[in-house]
Amino acid sequence: MDNMSPTVSDEVIAVKNVYKSFGDNHILRGINLTLHKGENLGIVGKSGIGKSVLTKCIVRLIEPDAGEIIVLGTDVLECDNSQLNELRKKVGYLFQGGALYDSMSVRENLFFPVRRTRFTDKKHDTEELIEQSLRSVGLLDAIDKMPSELSGGMKKRIALARTLILKPEIILYDEPTTGLDAVTSGEISELILKIREEYDTAAIIITHDMKCAKIATDSIQVMQEGVFTVTGTYDELSRHEDESIRDYFI
């Protein structure tokens, strides 16, 4: 990213004072977050603290209790179902486990979101879109394989290809390197950067993998007790004066 200060017009996501509880369990306690065009923003924090809940609130897979969420200039919480479905076409969500359909081939997995959303691209037919997405993740030769034939890293790549086929402006990555060995984790982290360059995306990256955070993010927010307590680059936070912050980056 360049050194120019971001402006409001560069905002692609603005989360303001968002709260979410499940019964007596108060998860989000007034969360604020801004994502700018072209930015890869990392979110770190302890397991179960609400990181995934936040991203699901952003696309209204979970309904927040209070607050405001603006995505690509649209007030998410004011959308009807039709408007929300249109907005979701522009926001890719990479689930933690990849969420491939085991009974479908790679080709069929990638075709599914095109069919479901009636996505159209006048420049390409569906087969070209599928092949283009697979080339972007380096797995065109896996087009007719079944998920059971894929390694963990390949499944992550195919899940990302399925996200890319709708050409999203924003991608929400939920633990993109979980369960992968160090080498494959590094490859996926580098792929996240490649995808930003090729597709001009902005991204939120939830991760416990500090190698991924170091490679793939421009800045990182640390979530503690339902709010973000500190923001900085990987290098800045790894030298933070607060030991509880530094501990995440060991």
Side-chain angles (χ1 to χ4, degrees):
M1 297 181 66
D2 58 39
N3 293 321
M4 296 178 61
S5 298
T7 64
V8 171
S9 62
D10 293 322
E11 292 179 358
V12 293
I13 294 178
V15 175
K16 302 175 184 179
N17 294 316
V18 166
Y19 289 78
K20 181 62 185 177
S21 298
F22 297 97
D24 294 330
N25 189 10
H26 303 291
I27 302 295
L28 305 180
R29 305 184 183 208
I31 280 282
N32 292 281
L33 173 147
T34 302
L35 179 70
H36 295 275
K37 183 175 175 61
E39 180 184 13
N40 279 359
L41 174 64
I43 297 179
V44 303
K46 294 179 180 178
S47 296
I49 203 168
K51 304 183 298 296
S52 296
V53 170
L54 171 60
T55 55
K56 289 175 181 176
C57 284
I58 288 172
V59 289
R60 247 176 83 187
L61 293 174
I62 292 177
E63 198 80 26
D65 298 328
E68 182 179 30
I69 300 173
I70 307 297
V71 177
L72 298 170
T74 298
D75 187 336
V76 174
L77 304 185
E78 295 297 323
C79 287
D80 60 26
N81 286 337
S82 176
Q83 293 168 326
L84 190 57
N85 286 334
E86 285 301 309
L87 183 63
R88 285 172 176 166
K89 292 179 185 180
K90 302 175 184 179
V91 184
Y93 199 113
L94 190 68
F95 291 94
Q96 189 172 145
L100 297 179
Y101 296 102
D102 293 337
S103 61
M104 295 182 182
S105 68
V106 168
R107 186 194 306 271
E108 291 167 334
N109 264 281
L110 268 66
F111 177 63
F112 183 80
V114 177
R115 179 182 62 191
R116 187 173 183 274
T117 61
R118 297 185 176 88
F119 177 80
T120 59
D121 186 321
K122 294 180 181 179
K123 295 180 181 179
H124 305 88
D125 64 23
T126 301
E127 188 67 18
E128 287 176 327
L129 285 172
I130 291 171
E131 292 181 4
Q132 180 186 43
S133 297
L134 288 172
R135 284 193 195 97
S136 295
V137 301
L139 282 178
L140 180 58
D141 58 352
I143 191 168
D144 291 316
K145 292 184 181 293
M146 299 298 289
S148 60
E149 301 177 84
L150 306 175
S151 68
M154 291 171 73
K155 288 178 180 178
K156 294 277 189 179
R157 288 173 180 266
I158 296 301
L160 180 52
R162 186 176 61 184
T163 298
L164 293 173
I165 202 166
L166 298 184
K167 299 185 180 299
E169 297 179 44
I170 301 167
I171 301 179
L172 308 178
Y173 295 91
D174 192 352
E175 300 288 358
T177 61
T178 292
L180 303 179
D181 61 78
V183 172
T184 306
S185 172
E187 291 173 349
I188 294 295
S189 301
E190 294 288 354
L191 180 59
I192 291 171
L193 293 179
K194 176 177 177 286
I195 292 304
R196 173 171 65 178
E197 181 178 349
E198 185 173 344
Y199 287 82
D200 193 27
T201 58
I204 293 175
I205 305 166
I206 295 172
T207 186
H208 286 95
D209 178 356
M210 290 300 103
K211 181 178 181 180
C212 177
K214 186 174 185 178
I215 293 172
T217 68
D218 302 301
S219 62
I220 299 168
Q221 296 208 27
V222 179
M223 184 182 284
Q224 297 174 307
E225 303 299 327
V227 296
F228 291 121
T229 56
V230 64
T231 302
T233 65
Y234 178 94
D235 288 339
E236 288 169 345
L237 297 181
S238 66
R239 299 192 301 267
H240 199 275
E241 61 183 13
D242 186 337
E243 185 178 359
S244 69
I245 300 298
R246 292 198 309 273
D247 283 349
Y248 287 106
F249 299 89
I250 293 175

